[in-house]
């Protein structure tokens, strides 16, 4: 078989397991995970390279109701991706009994693109075979999918079959990335995302959506195997700042320890992590602030 390659978009509403599935398929954590909606804010590429193929998965933000310019940016990224790839994986849940408004919105977009589409029913470990077939039938009635498959991003069921089907669909093409690359995200971006993940998993629901992380310093010392990282956590309210810091700095310390431990595993080196918290009111509705916090507004 000649070498095959291509880009595969992973889309769907929030919390259907898009990031978990991509991490499983790539074989490494390249996209952060939390149970909260809007965890993924940018398109993130996960790269799977083998002797005969290279698949570049693109994890996109979950489609949701835009409430600010950041939300609009996230939805636009997801929509733009649909026409820029060789295949679209549309992720739904095996426990879906109805097609909700945001699935309807996504389907309306899918019906207007010529890109091949695969319905991927995730969380098959939580449903019976009859339920899974019902979900496939439900969504296939409203969108002309080229392929359907059920998988579990938790136990890995059918994920090998999914990879094989993707390889079958992809065209012959070049190797876009080096063999040892699993993502094209920068080290600074990875560090900021891991810190944000720990915030998402430790704080109340209403606070993390207004959180942004900027890496002020990322440098390896010349005299020892150690990376110094200084990061600023931005929030939108003074009351949120107090919660992030916690009593006597306890919450910020917990976030810092969890982030440092994971970053040391990712980078394979000791990390000296310093976290600061600042208030930037309404930054999610300010284009300049969004740019400063690392969102590429030019993309939309």
């Amino acid at each position: 078989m000649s070498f095959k390659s291509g880009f595969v978009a992973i889309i769907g509403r929030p919390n259907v397991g898009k990031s978990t599935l991509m991490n499983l398929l790539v074989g490494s954590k390249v996209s952060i995970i939390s149970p909260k909606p809007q965890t993924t804010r940018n398109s993130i590429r996960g790269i799977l390279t083998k002797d005969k193929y290279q698949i570049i998965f693109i994890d996109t933000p979950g489609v949701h109701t835009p409430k600010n310019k950041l939300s609009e940016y996230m939805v636009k990224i997801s929509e733009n991706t649909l026409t820029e790839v060789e295949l679209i994986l549309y992720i739904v849940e095996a426990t879906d009994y109805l097609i909700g408004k945001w699935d309807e919105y996504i389907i309306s977009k899918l019906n207007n693109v010529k890109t091949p589409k695969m319905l991927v029913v995730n969380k098959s470990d939580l449903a019976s075979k009859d339920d899974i077939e019902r979900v496939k039938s439900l969504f296939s009635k409203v969108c002309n999918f080229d392929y359907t498959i059920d998988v579990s991003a938790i136990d890995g069921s059918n994920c090998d079959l999914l990879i094989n089907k993707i390889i079958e669909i992809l065209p012959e093409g070049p190797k876009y990335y080096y063999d040892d690359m699993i993502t094209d995200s920068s080290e600074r971006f990875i560090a900021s995302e891991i810190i944000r993940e720990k915030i998402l998993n430790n704080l109340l629901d209403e606070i993390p959506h207004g959180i942004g992380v900027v890496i002020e310093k990322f440098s390896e010392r010349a005299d020892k195997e150690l990376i110094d990282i200084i990061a600023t956590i931005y929030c939108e309210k003074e009351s949120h700042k107090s919660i992030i810091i916690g009593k006597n700095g306890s919450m910020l310390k917990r976030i810092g320890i969890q982030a440092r431990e994971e970053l040391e595993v990712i980078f394979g080196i000791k990390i000296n992590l310093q976290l600061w918290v600042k208030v930037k009111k309404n930054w999610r509705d300010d284009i300049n602030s969004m740019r400063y916090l690392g969102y590429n507004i030019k993309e939309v």
Side-chain angles (χ1 to χ4, degrees):
M1 183 180 72
S2 56
F3 196 82
K4 289 191 153 191
S5 64
F7 295 79
V8 178
I10 303 176
I11 70 164
R13 67 180 191 277
N15 282 31
V16 292
K18 299 184 296 297
S19 299
T20 303
L21 180 61
M22 183 177 78
N23 290 342
L24 178 69
L25 296 175
V26 172
S28 186
K29 182 176 178 179
V30 294
S31 190
I32 65 172
I33 300 169
S34 92
K36 296 181 174 67
Q38 302 178 38
T39 296
T40 302
R41 289 178 173 175
N42 290 280
S43 59
I44 297 170
R45 295 182 179 183
I47 306 162
L48 176 63
T49 304
K50 299 295 182 181
D51 291 340
K52 298 293 186 179
Y53 63 87
Q54 184 175 81
I55 306 170
I56 303 98
F57 295 100
I58 304 177
D59 184 15
T60 61
V63 177
H64 58 280
T65 305
K67 296 180 179 179
N68 47 56
K69 286 184 171 60
L70 176 62
S71 294
E72 292 173 2
Y73 164 84
M74 291 162 62
V75 171
K76 194 66 176 178
I77 282 179
S78 295
E79 292 179 1
N80 287 351
T81 305
L82 299 180
T83 58
E84 300 170 351
V85 296
E86 278 71 43
L87 175 66
I88 298 168
L89 303 184
Y90 176 42
I91 316 298
V92 299
E93 295 183 342
T95 53
D96 284 339
Y97 297 100
L98 296 171
I99 297 177
K101 66 175 182 179
W102 284 110
D103 282 307
E104 289 178 351
Y105 178 82
I106 298 170
I107 289 167
S108 71
K109 299 295 180 180
L110 291 177
N111 283 330
N112 288 323
V113 298
K114 296 181 180 180
T115 309
K117 298 173 281 289
M118 184 186 300
L119 176 68
V120 180
V121 181
N122 190 25
K123 306 184 183 181
S124 62
D125 53 305
L126 301 178
S128 67
K129 290 184 178 180
D130 287 343
D131 286 337
I132 292 169
E133 291 306 315
R134 178 188 51 75
V135 172
K136 289 181 180 179
S137 176
L138 178 68
F139 282 88
S140 294
K141 288 177 181 177
V142 294
C143 184
N144 185 25
F145 291 104
D146 300 280
Y147 317 91
T148 63
I149 191 171
D150 57 275
V151 302
S152 171
I154 297 301
D155 65 22
S157 297
N158 282 351
C159 286
D160 286 343
L161 292 176
L162 175 58
I163 291 293
N164 289 337
K165 177 56 69 174
I166 292 171
I167 297 168
E168 181 183 317
I169 296 165
L170 290 183
E172 295 181 10
K175 187 177 291 185
Y176 293 95
Y177 295 97
Y178 294 117
D179 289 353
D180 59 350
M181 289 184 68
I182 58 172
T183 183
D184 61 357
S185 297
S186 70
E187 292 178 325
R188 283 175 173 263
F189 178 80
I190 292 169
S192 68
E193 286 287 273
I194 293 299
I195 294 167
R196 191 166 65 85
E197 180 188 62
K198 305 315 172 189
I199 297 169
L200 285 165
N201 290 331
N202 279 285
L203 295 182
L204 300 173
D205 289 346
E206 71 272 15
I207 296 174
H209 298 308
I211 293 294
V213 179
V214 173
I215 304 300
E216 311 286 359
K217 178 182 180 181
F218 189 108
S219 62
E220 187 170 353
R221 296 190 191 180
D223 58 341
K224 62 191 307 186
E225 291 191 354
L226 180 73
I227 294 176
D228 289 303
I229 300 176
I230 300 176
T232 300
I233 300 167
Y234 286 94
C235 58
E236 294 185 312
K237 298 179 181 179
E238 288 290 345
S239 59
H240 289 177
K241 177 180 178 181
S242 299
I243 295 172
I244 296 166
I245 294 173
K247 186 177 181 179
N248 298 322
S250 59
M251 179 56 72
L252 191 62
K253 182 178 180 180
R254 182 194 302 174
I255 291 167
I257 290 173
Q258 292 177 3
R260 176 182 56 77
E261 289 176 346
E262 182 157 351
L263 288 171
E264 287 180 343
V265 172
I266 290 172
F267 295 129
I269 191 173
K270 287 292 183 181
I271 302 288
N272 172 38
L273 177 62
Q274 298 180 43
L275 300 179
W276 301 89
V277 186
K278 294 182 180 181
V279 176
K280 189 181 283 288
K281 293 183 178 180
N282 301 318
W283 70 264
R284 289 179 293 172
D285 267 320
D286 182 79
I287 296 297
N288 290 329
S289 293
M290 287 174 59
R291 288 196 181 104
Y292 178 72
L293 268 72
Y295 298 99
N296 187 6
I297 305 302
K298 290 181 180 179
E299 287 187 7
V300 297

